Amino acid sequence: MPKVIISGGGTGGHIYPAIAIANALKEINPATEILFVGAEGKMEMEKVPKAGYKIIGLPIAGINRSNLLANISFPKKLISSLSEARGIIKDFKPDVAVGVGGYASGPVLLAASMMDIPYLIQEQNSYAGVTNKFLSKSADKICVAYPNMDAFFKKEKIRMTGNPVRKDILEVNSKRAKALEHFGLLSSKKTVLVIGGSQGARTINEAIDAGLTNLVGAGYQVVWQTGKLYIDRAKKTAEVFEGQVFVSDFIYEMDLAYAIADVVVSRAGALSVSELCLAAKPSILVPLPTAAEDHQTMNAMSLVKNDAAILVKDVTAREDLIKATISLLQDPEKQAILCKNIHELAKPEAAREIAEEVLKLIK
């Protein structure tokens, strides 16, 4: 019976690929025993149990780059987390470890390395993060989603798999009728899906808030995921558009959200980009400019240069996003080009390919 420890999290962009890998491991061998390790207080502590897996939290936290004084406790948390990770590995006795990025992957993979447990890194972005670059030195295999990653990792360790996403996003177009019923919207109108990542996106929210009257007035309807911080304000704005705007802080039924979407407005996190490729939706990407090493802009540009998405800069989104969205909604020819090109970049078997690589590492 294979035993696999999966570590990382912090955002949906780390958590959902991790769950997809776990599900693929179970499909290959239902007897596989899986344990997740996350960071205390982060969203994986809620999302992973909902997916049916056990998770243990570590006291690790990230480095605060904007307030250096806030990092005084970081060394203590790192040492404590490394000690706890060693204890978890000792108790669970995994055959192999997997790191998907996020705070918890550092201590767990460091401990795995010290204890001679082979490990695999899954790097979602087109620009490798600091933690994964450091951990790659002892990694046995590195699964990536973008070309030219040998700029960060040893070429012989790299396997180009794409990013793992939830299986329910495949063939979403067959779910349109169900989606219309779920969101309470009309089949006669085109729909804009607005997603700012698992925690929302302030710039996108403010642009949609200011331009909602224009969108609805032009004859379109909206599914709007706001994140927790913006939900109250968004609901107040949307209440005058009953039956034309669906607002939620978090959408669990993303397959239905993609099924109803004619155009998607989104951040350019790695998971979002991979899902958009699989769903084959005409997309307007607004990269988060403060993302580490500006990796979201690089993720977005990997699509834009293939004429597979449209880019609107965060700094101009408040002025340009609504205009760009309405323009795309009114241009069926451009929608068709974007759909075709983005679908060609999809990697539908990524989760299974990564799971197979994980199992190959078992001694």
Side-chain angles (χ1 to χ4, degrees):
M1 177 198 306
K3 298 182 82 171
V4 183
I5 203 162
I6 301 178
S7 60
T11 67
H14 294 309
I15 297 161
Y16 291 116
I19 292 170
I21 293 167
N23 290 343
L25 285 164
K26 284 283 195 182
E27 281 180 18
I28 293 169
N29 185 345
T32 304
E33 198 174 335
I34 295 168
L35 175 66
F36 280 77
V37 180
E40 289 174 356
K42 293 296 179 180
M43 64 186 294
E44 59 263 28
M45 303 308 293
E46 175 198 348
K47 308 296 184 196
V48 169
K50 277 191 175 178
Y53 296 100
K54 183 183 176 183
I55 185 167
I56 298 172
L58 298 178
I60 190 68
I63 294 173
N64 190 324
R65 290 180 174 86
S66 59
N67 180 5
L68 293 177
L69 287 174
N71 297 311
I72 290 171
S73 63
F74 177 77
K76 184 181 176 183
K77 287 180 177 177
L78 178 60
I79 292 165
S80 174
S81 296
L82 185 56
S83 174
E84 288 187 31
R86 285 177 67 92
I88 291 165
I89 289 173
K90 195 175 178 182
D91 290 342
F92 184 64
K93 297 180 177 63
D95 299 298
V96 61
V98 178
V100 295
Y103 308 142
S105 64
V108 172
L109 296 190
L110 261 177
S113 177
M114 291 173 180
M115 300 170 78
D116 201 28
I117 306 291
Y119 69 82
L120 175 147
I121 292 171
Q122 198 264 317
E123 172 58 64
Q124 293 107 20
N125 291 294
S126 56
Y127 194 100
V130 175
T131 304
N132 275 353
K133 281 190 278 189
F134 173 74
L135 293 168
S136 70
K137 294 176 177 63
S138 299
D140 296 87
K141 184 65 68 174
I142 304 162
C143 292
V144 302
Y146 293 92
N148 306 315
M149 294 303 285
D150 53 348
F152 310 103
F153 308 126
K154 286 185 178 177
K155 197 170 187 176
E156 60 271 19
K157 292 185 179 183
I158 295 173
R159 168 83 194 275
M160 175 78 167
T161 58
N163 278 324
V165 299
R166 294 163 286 193
K167 270 198 161 182
D168 56 11
I169 289 166
L170 295 167
E171 308 203 6
V172 294
N173 292 330
S174 63
K175 302 176 182 178
R176 185 170 170 81
K178 184 180 177 183
L180 287 165
E181 184 181 348
H182 177 81
F183 293 111
L185 298 175
L186 300 171
S187 60
S188 56
K189 289 188 176 186
K190 285 192 172 182
T191 306
V192 182
L193 169 62
V194 181
I195 41 175
S198 55
Q199 299 173 68
R202 182 177 173 183
T203 308
I204 293 176
N205 283 335
E206 289 177 353
I208 297 299
D209 198 333
L212 201 57
T213 301
N214 291 346
L215 267 176
V216 175
Y220 305 112
Q221 56 194 5
V222 181
V223 174
W224 182 11
Q225 178 186 287
T226 64
K228 288 180 180 176
L229 296 178
Y230 210 86
I231 185 63
D232 293 336
R233 181 169 166 182
K235 280 183 174 176
K236 193 169 183 181
T237 302
E239 65 187 6
V240 296
F241 302 114
E242 191 176 348
Q244 299 171 89
V245 180
F246 175 93
V247 180
S248 177
D249 62 334
F250 190 86
I251 298 173
Y252 283 96
E253 306 82 0
M254 279 307 297
D255 57 327
L256 299 184
Y258 287 123
I260 203 174
D262 295 287
V263 164
V264 180
V265 174
S266 175
R267 282 295 195 205
L271 177 65
S272 298
V273 168
S274 296
E275 288 184 348
L276 292 169
C277 291
L278 273 182
K281 294 294 176 177
S283 305
I284 298 172
L285 301 175
V286 186
L288 175 67
T290 56
E293 288 88 22
D294 198 22
H295 67 256
Q296 287 207 8
T297 298
M298 296 181 190
N299 293 347
M301 288 307 299
S302 68
L303 269 62
V304 172
K305 69 186 180 186
N306 287 294
D307 200 12
I310 292 168
L311 180 108
V312 171
K313 291 183 178 179
D314 187 271
V315 71
T316 63
R318 290 174 182 85
E319 295 78 37
D320 297 344
L321 184 56
I322 295 297
K323 286 185 284 185
T325 304
I326 291 174
S327 175
L328 183 55
L329 284 160
Q330 293 173 344
D331 190 345
E333 191 176 323
K334 182 65 173 177
Q335 290 174 41
I337 290 167
L338 293 178
C339 282
K340 175 181 176 292
N341 291 342
I342 200 169
H343 192 52
E344 287 176 0
L345 301 174
K347 299 277 187 182
E349 296 300 320
R352 187 175 182 91
E353 288 180 22
I354 293 167
E356 287 170 351
E357 292 294 337
V358 171
L359 296 174
K360 283 179 192 174
L361 296 182
I362 295 175
K363 294 173 182 175

